[in-house]
Amino acid sequence: MGFSRSLFAGLALFTLGAQAHAGATLERVEAHKELVNVLMESYPPFSFLNDQNELDGFDVDVAKAVAEKLGVKLRLETPSWDVIAAGRWSGRYDVCICSMTPSKARAEVFDFPVEYYASPAVIVVNAKDDRIHAAKDLNGLKVGLTSASSYESYLNKNLVIEGAEDKPLTYPFDFVQAVPYDTDNVAFQDLGLGAGVRLDAILTNLVTAQPRLAQDKRFKLAGAPLYEEPNAVAVEKGDPEWEAKVRQVFAELKADGTLTKLSQKWIGADISK
C-alpha cells in the first residue's frame, strides 16, 4: 500500500538479485566442479605439509570428504591467517574448513553453519620454567600466539565466542604482551631458547600442542585449560543456500561416521561435534 509501480518493480529486481546472490557459492562450486577450501599451511595435526610436500591433516581430510560428498574436486589455498580471518573473500574461496573459532567479531563477516570439533585452549611454557601455573601468572609476560587468532583476542580481554555469550570468559590478568606469529612453529622455536629469552609462554590449542609436547621435552603445559574452543566451518555472509548445503553435508559426514573416523585417525580421540 503506497508503493509506486516503479518502486515495486525495483523491489522485485532487488529480490531476484538477492535470490541469485544467495546461491552464488553453490552455483560457482557446481559450475567449476571444484571446492576451494582455505586453511593454514602449518597447523599440525589439522593442516601441514607432509613428507611428500603435500597438504595433509584432519582439516585437509575433512575438506576432501566434503568435496567428495559434493561430487567435485578439492583445491586448497593457504594464504596467511590474517587474510583468512579478515573475510571479505570476494569469491576467491568457497569455504574455510580451517579450525576457526566463531567469535562475535568474526560473525560480522562470516556465517558459521557447522561446529565440527572442539578443543581446549592451553598455556605452554618452557620445561624449566616454574613461574606459570595459570592464566593469572601471565600478567606482564610475553606470550606467543598465531596472529589474528582467538588467543590474541583472549589476551586482549575481548574474546566473545559466538553462541556462548551467556558464558563470558574471565581474564585473571591486568596486561599480557601478546606476541603474534604467522604460525606456531616459530613461536615454539623462540620459546625453546629458554624462559623469558624471547617468550615466556605460548597460548595454543591442546590438540596441536600434544604432539610437540610428546616429541620435545623442552616444553610442558602450565595449569588447566583456559576455555573450550569450538571450531566451526566458516563461509562468507549472506549465502543461505550454501550454508544449508554445508550443514547437510556435515550432517551426513557425522551420521556415516566419517568425522569420528578422521578424528580418531588424526587426534587419537573423537573430538568431533
Side-chain angles (χ1 to χ4, degrees):
M1 192 156 44
F3 289 107
S4 70
R5 186 183 296 261
S6 60
L7 178 57
F8 180 80
L11 285 171
L13 286 172
F14 174 81
T15 303
L16 286 171
Q19 289 173 343
H21 176 72
T25 306
L26 184 56
E27 288 176 5
R28 183 171 66 243
V29 170
E30 292 177 340
H32 295 170
K33 299 294 183 186
E34 179 181 71
L35 177 71
V36 183
N37 183 57
V38 63
L39 40 60
M40 293 185 69
E41 185 177 286
S42 182
Y43 193 57
F46 299 99
S47 53
F48 61 94
L49 290 173
N50 62 22
D51 293 341
Q52 287 74 48
N53 206 38
E54 298 171 339
L55 281 164
D56 210 349
F58 177 71
D59 281 342
V60 174
D61 276 358
V62 172
K64 287 178 179 177
V66 170
E68 186 176 346
K69 288 283 187 186
L70 292 170
V72 300
K73 64 181 180 179
L74 175 67
R75 176 156 60 93
L76 299 171
E77 295 286 347
T78 57
S80 70
W81 182 254
D82 288 12
V83 171
I84 296 173
R88 309 191 194 285
W89 298 332
S90 302
R92 287 173 294 166
Y93 320 121
D94 303 316
V95 66
C96 164
I97 302 169
C98 63
S99 300
M100 184 181 288
T101 298
S103 68
K104 185 176 180 181
R106 287 173 179 165
E108 294 178 6
V109 292
F110 293 112
D111 286 321
F112 300 101
V114 176
E115 289 182 7
Y116 66 113
Y117 80 89
S119 59
V122 295
I123 302 168
V124 177
V125 299
N126 191 281
K128 297 179 180 179
D129 192 349
D130 291 322
R131 300 171 299 159
I132 302 168
H133 304 280
K136 64 180 177 61
D137 301 323
L138 298 176
N139 200 49
L141 300 183
K142 294 178 293 183
V143 179
L145 39 74
T146 301
S147 178
S149 64
S150 59
Y151 312 122
E152 188 169 13
S153 297
Y154 176 79
L155 292 185
N156 290 332
K157 300 196 285 189
N158 60 11
L159 175 60
V160 179
I161 296 174
E162 186 74 2
E165 292 86 352
D166 59 334
K167 300 175 184 176
L169 298 172
T170 58
Y171 305 102
F173 43 79
D174 294 324
F175 170 75
V176 178
Q177 183 181 342
V179 183
Y181 292 82
D182 284 342
T183 71
D184 275 358
N185 288 342
V186 180
F188 272 93
Q189 290 172 16
D190 283 355
L191 184 62
L193 297 175
V197 176
R198 290 186 180 171
L199 290 176
D200 296 291
I202 292 172
L203 191 53
T204 190
N205 180 309
L206 175 61
V207 178
T208 302
Q210 279 176 329
R212 297 181 190 270
L213 295 170
Q215 296 166 15
D216 195 331
K217 299 307 178 184
R218 292 178 298 166
F219 308 112
K220 65 181 180 181
L221 291 177
L226 304 179
Y227 54 91
E228 186 176 84
E229 192 176 42
N231 290 271
V233 178
V235 297
E236 289 187 282
K237 287 191 78 70
D239 196 334
E241 186 176 343
W242 179 231
E243 277 192 79
K245 190 66 175 180
V246 170
R247 276 195 296 270
Q248 175 197 328
V249 168
F250 270 85
E252 292 173 5
L253 293 175
K254 182 69 175 175
D256 67 16
T258 299
L259 286 180
T260 296
K261 180 181 177 181
L262 294 178
S263 182
Q264 292 283 2
K265 172 185 175 181
W266 288 106
I267 315 301
D270 187 7
I271 61 169
S272 64
K273 295 188 71 175

